[in-house]
């Protein structure tokens, strides 16, 4: 079966991990700092703070910003459920807004309609790496005095108006789970230009301890630290950061491989009436963490039948993003009206896309999709 995705790792990651194991600095050490520096430099953010995963990064960004009990945070329902769970576990209430029908990311007009006196933040998701309309949301958030947080879990390397996602000044949270374009095995990162937020996140991730591990272990004098706030253990280890450092060096190569595969899919499918690929706005570049399309009325098969038949043909296709409001975990908000999100979710298919796909693999995917999804229109 052609996999949906495959992490791109090699000897360099093994060597980097071995270096950490030989150094005895297994957590909160120099590799972690190097990964943070590399990520800040790449995105153009003033600060990058590494955490255990993206879910905890989103949750602690809210907590560090004083957004918790009684607060409403507007987010999409069409997202990986971690977005909403992070809001819930910060003590706030996720308020679902609908998405744009082409881009499948938050619709700024619908976000505006859902603002109440209790709204404190908007959490926008860059859907499978496709940048959302951040400037429109930033303008809205500035006018309404709301914090804009980017759930950039899937968006390392994506560009919005020529600038890497994460460099917009407001907090953006990334994931390094193996299903992302670069991985650390597990891991998360918050980028921000707000020095106060970065300091607070560093405290929260390490039990609220006033002195970092690095300082405690590297000075000879006795250190008398204290716990200044009630923190968490949300640390990323240096073993994970060691992988992340090498992956940062691979990022451009990975993007240079992924984007042309997406472009081949795009041009092959552009005249097929049975499917509608995700729209990439002119001023954005997705990292193509996933390649997704919607089935249309002209498709002879239902979405589920199409996924089954693709898998029967050895293509590891999957249905796409679910809607949180229709999951049992959010049954209490099931009646909210989100017609675009539901429609997009019900018709979405994901196709294999990974570094190292051969021309034969790509041709198999294209030919099988075209043969199953129906006739193409003449150009
Ligand atoms: C949009 C989105 N947000 C958050 C997450 C959570 O990331 P992590 O697994 O690093 O906690 C994911 C993971 O797939 C995601 O896709």
């Amino acid at each position: 079966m052609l996999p949906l995705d495959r992490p791109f790792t090699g000897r360099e990651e093994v060597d980097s991990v071995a270096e950490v194991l030989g150094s005895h600095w297994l957590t909160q050490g120099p590799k972690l700092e190097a990964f943070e520096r590399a990520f800040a430099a790449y995105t153009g953010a003033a600060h990058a703070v590494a955490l255990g995963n993206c879910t905890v990064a989103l949750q602690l960004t809210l907590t560090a910003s004083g957004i918790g009990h009684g607060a409403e945070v507007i987010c999409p329902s069409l997202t990986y459920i971690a977005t909403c769970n992070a809001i819930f576990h910060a003590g706030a209430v996720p308020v679902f807004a609908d998405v744009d029908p082409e881009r499948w990311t938050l619709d700024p007009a619908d976000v505006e309609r859902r603002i109440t006196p209790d709204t404190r933040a908007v959490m926008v998701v860059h859907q499978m790496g496709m940048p959302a309309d951040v400037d429109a949301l930033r303008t809205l958030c500035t006018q309404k005095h709301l914090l804009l947080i980017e759930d950039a879990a899937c968006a390392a390397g994506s560009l919005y108006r020529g600038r890497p996602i994460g460099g917009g000044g407001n907090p953006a949270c990334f994931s390094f789970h193996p299903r992302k374009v670069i991985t650390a095995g597990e891991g998360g990162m918050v980028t921000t230009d707000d020095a106060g937020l970065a300091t607070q996140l560093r405290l929260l991730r390490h039990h609220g301890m006033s002195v970092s591990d690095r300082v405690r272990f590297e000075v000879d004098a006795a250190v008398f630290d204290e716990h200044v706030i009630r923190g968490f253990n949300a640390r990323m280890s240096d073993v994970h950061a060691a992988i992340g450092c090498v992956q940062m060096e691979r990022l451009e190569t990975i993007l240079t491989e992924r984007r042309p595969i997406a472009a081949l899919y795009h041009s092959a499918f552009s005249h097929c009436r049975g499917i509608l690929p995700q729209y990439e706005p002119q001023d954005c570049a997705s990292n193509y963490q996933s390649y997704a399309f919607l089935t249309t009325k002209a498709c002879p098969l239902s979405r589920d039948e199409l996924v089954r038949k693709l898998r029967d043909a050895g293509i590891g296709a999957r249905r796409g993003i679910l809607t949180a409001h229709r999951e049992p975990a959010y049954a209490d908000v099931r009646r909210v009206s989100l017609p675009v999100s539901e429609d997009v979710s019900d018709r979405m298919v994901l196709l294999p896309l990974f570094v190292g796909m051969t021309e034969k693999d790509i041709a198999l995917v294209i030919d099988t999709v075209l043969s199953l999804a129906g006739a193409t229109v003449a150009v």
Side-chain angles (χ1 to χ4, degrees), residues 53-55 58 79-80 82-83 125 151 153-154 175-177 180 186-187:
N53 55 64
C54 181
T55 312
L58 292 165
T79 179
Y80 187 59
T83 312
V125 178
D151 179 340
C154 302
S175 170
F176 305 110
H177 179 270
K180 307 302 182 276
E186 290 279 1

Side-chain angles (χ1 to χ4, degrees), residues 73-342:
V73 177
I74 299 177
C75 68
S77 169
L78 184 79
T79 179
Y80 187 59
I81 202 154
T83 312
C84 331
N85 291 344
I87 297 169
F88 173 80
H89 290 299
V93 179
V95 172
F96 298 125
D98 216 344
V99 295
D100 175 276
E102 290 191 314
R103 204 166 175 149
W104 315 339
T105 56
L106 270 185
D107 170 6
D110 198 51
V111 169
E112 184 161 14
R113 282 192 283 277
R114 303 205 190 236
I115 294 173
T116 74
D118 292 327
T119 308
R120 298 285 310 282
V122 173
M123 195 174 276
V124 60
V125 178
H126 301 297
Q127 196 67 264
M128 298 170 289
M130 189 62 75
D133 192 356
V134 195
D135 281 357
L137 289 166
R138 190 171 287 124
T139 305
L140 177 66
C141 286
T142 307
Q143 277 168 5
K144 305 284 181 185
H145 309 289
L146 306 174
L147 177 66
L148 178 66
I149 300 173
E150 291 170 66
D151 179 340
C154 302
S158 296
L159 304 178
Y160 179 77
R161 300 196 164 155
R163 196 176 56 204
I165 294 288
N170 54 281
C173 303
F174 296 82
S175 170
F176 305 110
H177 179 270
R179 249 300 266 143
K180 307 302 182 276
V181 298
I182 54 168
T183 184
E186 290 279 1
M189 189 77 77
V190 182
T191 57
T192 177
D193 281 357
D194 180 343
L197 174 63
T199 303
Q200 200 68 7
L201 285 168
R202 288 181 205 285
L203 280 173
L204 282 171
R205 78 176 170 190
H206 189 37
H207 304 292
M209 203 183 273
S210 60
V211 181
S212 75
D213 268 355
R214 193 92 196 265
V215 171
R216 278 197 311 145
F217 287 102
E218 284 188 345
V219 295
D220 288 332
V223 174
F224 299 97
D225 46 9
E226 47 179 4
H227 298 98
V228 291
I229 56 170
R230 296 173 196 178
F232 297 78
N233 175 359
R235 297 182 295 249
M236 178 193 287
S237 79
D238 275 43
V239 178
H240 292 91
I243 304 171
C245 283
V246 179
Q247 291 273 296
M248 284 308 291
E249 289 169 18
R250 293 196 197 276
L251 180 55
E252 283 309 323
T253 309
I254 291 172
L255 297 172
T256 311
E257 293 250 348
R258 295 185 78 94
R259 287 186 177 134
I261 300 172
L264 285 172
Y265 284 163
H266 251 51
S267 67
F269 301 149
S270 58
H271 304 295
C272 176
R273 284 201 229 115
I275 62 179
L276 183 69
Q278 186 178 20
Y279 169 70
E280 185 174 36
Q282 292 263 308
D283 56 359
C284 294
S286 175
N287 62 5
Y288 285 99
Q289 182 265 344
S290 291
Y291 186 88
F293 66 77
L294 306 186
T295 54
T296 69
K297 286 198 176 75
C299 185
L301 301 174
S302 72
R303 188 277 306 270
D304 292 359
E305 284 165 352
L306 181 59
V307 169
R308 267 190 223 109
K309 290 217 183 283
L310 285 166
R311 295 189 74 88
D312 289 346
I315 295 164
R318 284 205 209 142
R319 69 176 180 179
I321 315 281
L322 304 180
T323 50
H325 73 285
R326 292 187 294 177
E327 289 300 295
Y330 287 91
D332 52 334
V333 288
R334 196 163 280 172
R335 277 199 296 274
V336 66
S337 169
L338 299 162
V340 182
S341 302
E342 293 184 7

